[in-house]
Amino acid sequence: MFLGNLTEEQRLSKAVVKIMDKAPYLSAVLMIGRREITDNPKTRTAYTNGKDEFYSRTFVASLNDAELRFLVLHEVYHKLFKHLTTWKHLWEKDADRTNRAADHVINIKIVDEFSQDGFATMTGVLEGGCYDRQYVGMNTQEVFNLLPPGNGGGGGGRGGEVGRGGDGELFLRERPIALASLERERARAEQLFVVEAVAADDVGQQRVGAE
């Protein structure tokens, strides 16, 4: 574990505070849902269900502070961009390829906005994630069209997590949540100009992850 006596829970909370200070415009999204360190062996890195975020204790322990901030930003931007609902038709067509396309878009954005000063870095175990400068300026659909087909077929990891591929690519895992639940969270944070991060409850049990 990095930073001596800090627990993984404390390090995660510290990362969130630092991000709020660095990028106040993300504060409202960071306030949505809960954030949890988990010892569940099925969670190998981190995932979001579009509202809540879950982080593997052992994975968090393997990251330095800048890498942990990158991981948190990765989950937060997937919530912000509403990837499950925006690209539902892509998930149904090829979930694995949609995973990779969304991650390329997210990781390019984080590198461009937060890595120049070392605040959030895609280094260490994160270095093998989906990141290719040829996709700069593209959205998930455009990247999807250029990527080779995935191995998971349509429907997207129903009932299980999308794991780390042989080339070490990072995926975001999301599991749809009830719209009403997210609307309550949105109302609670509306005074802070929250950007709605919603995952419709009709998408099934697909989860996309930061693996």
Side-chain angles (χ1 to χ4, degrees), residues 30-87:
L30 284 161
M31 289 178 63
I32 292 177
R34 61 192 174 95
R35 193 168 287 106
E36 177 182 314
I37 296 287
T38 177
D39 295 303
N40 188 332
K42 292 183 179 180
T43 302
R44 294 192 291 169
T45 59
Y47 71 87
T48 178
N49 58 18
K51 170 186 172 184
D52 305 313
E53 301 163 31
F54 302 89
Y55 296 81
S56 163
R57 184 180 303 279
T58 55
F59 191 69
V60 168
S62 73
L63 305 176
N64 64 33
D65 282 354
E67 292 161 356
L68 179 54
R69 289 191 289 265
F70 191 102
L71 182 64
V72 173
L73 284 164
H74 183 95
E75 304 300 340
V76 168
Y77 270 113
H78 277 290
K79 290 163 63 173
L80 177 64
F81 290 165
K82 300 182 288 182
H83 274 158
L84 274 182
T85 50
T86 302
W87 306 113

Side-chain angles (χ1 to χ4, degrees), residues 133-182:
R133 299 299 298 179
Q134 71 173 306
Y135 303 129
V136 169
M138 297 185 186
N139 61 34
T140 298
Q141 173 77 73
E142 293 168 327
V143 178
F144 178 94
N145 293 339
L146 296 175
L147 290 175
N151 298 318
R158 186 178 301 272
E161 296 181 350
V162 178
R164 184 182 296 276
D167 55 357
E169 290 176 334
L170 299 179
F171 298 111
L172 168 81
R173 290 188 298 268
E174 294 190 14
R175 180 164 45 195
I177 62 174
L179 181 60
S181 175
L182 185 55

